[in-house]
Amino acid sequence: MSGRAPYGLVAVTCAVLMVVLGLLVSGVGLSGPDALADGWVRRTFGEDVLRLLVLPTEAYVLIPIAVLAVALCLSGGHKLEAVLTVVGPLIAILANTWVLKPLFDRWKNTYLAYPSGHTVALVAVLTVLVLLARPGVATAVIAVVGAVVLGSVTIGMIGLGYHYLTDVVGGTLFAVATVCATWTLLTWAARRRAPVPSDG
């Protein structure tokens, strides 16, 4: 995984979009796009299917995936990537729970909803997997599978009443921003610590 790719630019762009969307929906209930998505999902899917679709957001699914990724990184001698696998999602989840949700103050039923915490956890792990994959086919496959999983989870969370569509979009943007920013900082710090080659 190259630290020279424009991960910082991706992080800033996603963060700005997340903030703009959050300001638009802050303190607001069902928006126009949310209402359209909600109506379509409820007409199309049954509850049993919806509960199956949200399974990838559960901790007992995500934690083993992250642990396996860490183990593979360490076995290959990729310590920096192992740190990213743990720190990136952890920062995203904690910042979303303790900072962003209270800041944007968007409620659904009795809980703060924007950005979606389920989405942040899932997309943070998926983003790490995309960054860790070898460039080329592996990256494309993981990205496509991740997009399908995210789409399925979105349907499930909307149908079960967990979140609005815009909550999921905001969670996706924040997770990508956080993981990319974390990787940018980690690679920058690693380069700062690297010994300077001698001219002699």
Side-chain angles (χ1 to χ4, degrees):
M1 182 167 60
S2 171
R4 293 188 291 273
Y7 298 120
L9 178 60
V10 172
V12 170
T13 301
C14 288
V16 169
L17 291 174
M18 181 275 297
V19 171
V20 170
L21 180 59
L23 293 175
L24 291 174
V25 302
S26 177
V28 176
L30 203 65
S31 68
D34 294 328
L36 290 173
D38 186 78
W40 175 74
V41 169
R42 292 181 187 277
R43 289 192 306 269
T44 308
F45 299 92
E47 184 172 344
D48 290 340
V49 174
L50 294 171
R51 294 198 178 280
L52 183 63
L53 292 178
V54 299
L55 284 180
T57 66
E58 299 292 345
Y60 58 77
V61 175
L62 292 176
I63 291 176
I65 292 173
V67 169
L68 177 60
V70 170
L72 291 173
C73 288
L74 292 176
S75 67
H78 304 295
K79 294 181 180 179
L80 204 61
E81 285 80 355
V83 172
L84 172 69
T85 305
V86 175
V87 174
L90 187 61
I91 291 175
I93 292 167
L94 293 177
N96 183 63
T97 301
W98 297 106
V99 179
L100 295 184
K101 286 193 176 213
L103 181 65
F104 289 111
D105 193 36
R106 188 190 202 189
W107 291 82
K108 184 169 177 61
N109 302 321
T110 59
Y111 52 86
L112 292 166
Y114 183 92
S116 162
H118 290 82
T119 306
V120 167
L122 172 66
V123 176
V125 173
L126 291 174
T127 303
V128 167
L129 295 180
V130 170
L131 295 183
L132 293 180
R134 293 179 180 273
V137 176
T139 301
V141 168
I142 293 175
V144 170
V145 171
V148 172
V149 170
L150 177 59
S152 300
V153 164
T154 301
I155 290 170
M157 288 194 293
I158 292 172
L160 294 172
Y162 293 171
H163 284 287
Y164 299 119
L165 173 62
T166 43
D167 298 332
V168 177
V169 175
T172 299
L173 290 169
F174 180 64
V176 173
T178 304
V179 172
C180 287
T182 302
W183 179 243
T184 300
L185 291 173
L186 286 173
T187 53
W188 174 81
R191 286 195 294 268
R192 293 271 296 181
R193 290 196 305 269
V196 177
S198 172
D199 292 331

